[in-house]
Amino acid sequence: MPLLFTYTKPHLGVWKIEESSDELLSMLCQTPAYLPFLQKIKTEKRRREWLATRVLLKELMGQELLIAYHDDGAPYLPDSPLSLSISHTDGYAALLLQEQPAAGIDIEYRSDRVVKIRNRFMSAEEDASIDADHEAEHLLVYWCAKEALFKMIRQQDVDFIDHLHIVPFAYAASGQISATETRSGAAGSYTLNYEVHPDFILVYSISTLY
């Protein structure tokens, strides 16, 4: 089974997607409930990601739960009070459940492409902190952190430079970082965990309720 790892606080898991969509569907019981959604998904890759998320949720919760979506596209669990966040990247699905009003997770495949787009999401202060020996990985942590924060605040017209702010930090293979947002008017502050894995970068919010 390609379940890479899970944590219980928070409820977090990463699934390496090696199965076909048919194989993933066979791991689930509520097939009739999924078919209308699957029929709308055009590509096999997207179907595999969609189903892997449901299989991973079942693994984390010990039971099969249906995922619904708010009007803005944010996922939630109608049958659970836990906040839910989902992320996909090439060949992986990640899922986070937390006992707080919002959860945020992002997983990104390791690639140098982020170096070319850094001016789209990095402030001058953030960019000055980048470790030249781990440039792509360090930038990806910033990117994932802002993606996770974006999911948490659920605001429209968010500028990743002007509205999402990461306190500059020294690069390491894992750690915690502090973040703030100035888009919602609440001026929220957050703490995020990050992990650098051989194939991907993972960033996820830390619940303030534990």
Side-chain angles (χ1 to χ4, degrees):
M1 180 181 294
L3 179 66
L4 294 189
F5 56 81
T6 62
Y7 303 145
T8 56
K9 286 193 176 181
H11 296 288
L12 179 151
V14 174
W15 190 280
K16 186 174 183 180
I17 308 171
E18 295 180 338
E19 306 87 352
S20 68
S21 60
D22 287 341
E23 289 172 325
L24 289 165
L25 187 59
S26 71
M27 300 178 189
L28 299 167
C29 299
Q30 302 185 50
T31 301
Y34 302 127
L35 292 180
F37 298 95
L38 289 171
Q39 290 169 356
K40 299 176 183 178
I41 301 174
K42 304 297 184 182
T43 67
E44 169 68 5
K45 177 179 181 294
R46 183 69 187 93
R47 282 192 291 270
R48 292 169 68 204
E49 290 175 347
W50 194 92
L51 287 165
T53 299
R54 275 78 188 161
V55 173
L56 179 54
L57 177 62
K58 181 180 179 181
E59 183 72 23
L60 288 173
M61 297 297 289
Q63 60 179 315
E64 197 168 328
L65 297 174
L66 294 177
I67 299 173
Y69 294 88
H70 294 289
D71 290 341
D72 62 0
Y76 70 98
L77 298 176
D79 300 320
S80 172
L82 294 173
S83 293
L84 170 67
S85 186
I86 296 168
S87 184
H88 308 103
T89 192
D90 290 345
Y92 295 92
L95 191 146
L96 175 68
L97 296 148
Q98 285 182 331
E99 294 177 345
Q100 63 178 14
I105 191 169
D106 195 60
I107 185 171
E108 295 289 341
Y109 197 81
R110 288 178 70 161
S111 166
D112 292 337
R113 178 180 176 274
V114 70
V115 177
K116 299 177 182 179
I117 63 169
R118 65 201 298 167
N119 63 343
R120 301 182 189 177
F121 66 94
M122 295 287 287
S123 70
E125 183 182 13
E126 292 165 348
D127 200 61
S129 74
I130 295 299
D131 186 331
D133 293 330
H134 302 279
E135 184 179 34
E137 294 90 344
H138 206 171
L139 285 167
L140 280 168
V141 174
Y142 272 98
W143 170 258
C144 290
K146 293 195 176 190
E147 280 283 342
L149 189 57
F150 172 72
K151 294 175 182 178
M152 295 180 77
I153 66 173
R154 292 181 58 193
Q155 297 287 315
Q156 300 298 314
D157 301 319
V158 176
D159 186 298
F160 274 39
I161 296 176
D162 293 338
H163 297 142
L164 305 181
H165 315 285
I166 306 301
V167 176
F169 61 98
Y171 176 81
S174 64
Q176 290 188 355
I177 51 181
S178 298
T180 59
E181 61 87 11
T182 53
R183 174 63 184 86
S184 69
S189 298
Y190 304 87
T191 302
L192 307 170
N193 271 348
Y194 75 89
E195 302 174 9
V196 179
H197 293 266
D199 290 335
F200 59 83
I201 309 296
L202 182 70
V203 177
Y204 55 95
S205 57
I206 298 174
S207 175
T208 58
L209 301 181
Y210 288 128

